[in-house]
């Protein structure tokens, strides 16, 4: 599914310095993240948190999209709005893939998101307060960071063999679910502090 249609381009923002002459009327406040990837060149990540979709586009990678069902209950701290896999779908190069987000509880691992495509299992899992690592069949491909505003940064691991589809999956998951997570001990302290009177 492609979201960049005539009816939606008005919600897409581009950098004013790099935007072409046809983009003057675009909303500069809409979340978007054009980036220069070290391996795959220009990649644009589009996020519409109100309608519930993410799209990743680039000349050197296949398009990827994550969509939220209209009936899903949403939470503000999740860019795509929900971690309920029953209300989410994902495509890579136009083909559906299996998307399974963990529920997101106390541990960093509980914020992992798994994707299975053509028998290959990807996992984006937090490994620091701000970042998450992308694994492909258990192999560490690279590290992603995103604050949930549609802007995504990727740093590929030296020596890792990364395909264009790998990049599409990583960027889409980072944009849809954000990256990073506090360690369990810090979350436990914060939870205990909230219970104290005063």
């Amino acid at each position: 599914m492609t979201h960049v249609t005539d009816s939606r381009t008005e919600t897409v923002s581009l950098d004013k310095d790099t935007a072409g002459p046809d983009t003057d009327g675009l909303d500069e406040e809409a979340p978007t993240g054009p980036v220069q990837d070290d391996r795959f060149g220009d990649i644009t990540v589009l996020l519409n948190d109100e309608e519930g979709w993410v799209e990743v586009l680039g000349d050197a990678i296949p398009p990827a999209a994550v969509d939220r069902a209209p009936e899903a209950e949403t939470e503000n701290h999740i860019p795509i709005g929900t971690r309920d896999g029953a209300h989410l779908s994902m495509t890579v190069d136009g083909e559906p893939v299996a998307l399974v987000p963990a529920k997101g509880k106390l541990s960093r691992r509980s914020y992992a998101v798994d994707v299975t495509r053509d028998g290959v299992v990807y996992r984006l899992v937090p490994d620091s307060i701000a970042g998450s690592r992308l694994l492909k069949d258990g192999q560490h491909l690279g590290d992603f960071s995103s604050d949930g505003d549609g802007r995504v940064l990727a740093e590929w691991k030296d020596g890792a063999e990364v395909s264009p589809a790998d990049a599409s999956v990583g960027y889409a998951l980072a944009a849809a679910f954000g990256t990073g997570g506090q360690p369990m001990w810090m979350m436990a302290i914060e939870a205990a502090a909230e219970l104290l009177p005063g």
Side-chain angles (χ1 to χ4, degrees):
M1 177 183 297
T2 299
H3 298 100
V4 187
T5 63
D6 290 340
S7 63
R8 290 194 179 179
T9 49
E10 291 183 359
T11 67
V12 177
S13 78
L14 297 173
D15 188 308
K16 222 174 184 182
D17 295 329
T18 59
D22 295 333
T23 61
D24 292 342
L26 298 183
D27 180 1
E28 294 178 19
E29 299 302 318
T32 187
V35 297
Q36 177 69 33
D37 185 274
D38 290 343
R39 297 198 188 188
F40 301 101
D42 291 333
I43 293 177
T44 298
V45 180
L46 307 174
L47 166 67
N48 188 314
D49 53 359
E50 290 187 9
E51 294 182 14
W53 56 265
V54 164
E55 188 161 14
V56 176
L57 306 164
D59 290 341
I61 63 169
V66 180
D67 286 276
R68 184 187 75 221
E71 68 274 13
E73 292 185 15
T74 60
E75 299 181 53
N76 290 336
H77 66 278
I78 305 169
I80 194 70
T82 184
R83 297 184 67 88
D84 184 349
H87 291 106
L88 293 168
S89 61
M90 182 174 180
T91 60
V92 178
D93 206 11
E95 297 295 324
V97 298
L99 173 64
V100 182
K103 296 298 183 185
K105 299 296 183 184
L106 279 180
S107 69
R108 283 179 174 161
R109 186 175 297 179
S110 74
Y111 286 87
V113 184
D114 293 331
V115 169
T116 304
R117 178 179 186 261
D118 295 335
V120 175
V121 178
Y122 295 93
R123 170 169 281 193
L124 186 74
V125 60
D127 61 358
S128 68
I129 290 177
S132 295
R133 66 176 51 193
L134 179 66
L135 307 173
K136 178 181 179 181
D137 287 337
Q139 177 191 0
H140 183 187
L141 295 184
D143 300 293
F144 284 79
S145 61
S146 177
D147 292 332
D149 60 359
R151 292 169 176 81
V152 180
L153 296 177
E155 184 176 343
W156 301 112
K157 192 170 173 63
D158 288 342
E161 295 183 9
V162 183
S163 74
D166 299 341
S168 298
V169 170
Y171 277 96
L173 294 182
F177 298 98
T179 60
Q182 293 180 332
M184 188 183 300
W185 64 266
M186 189 179 294
M187 295 174 112
I189 289 174
E190 288 183 356
E194 288 180 3
L195 298 176
L196 295 175

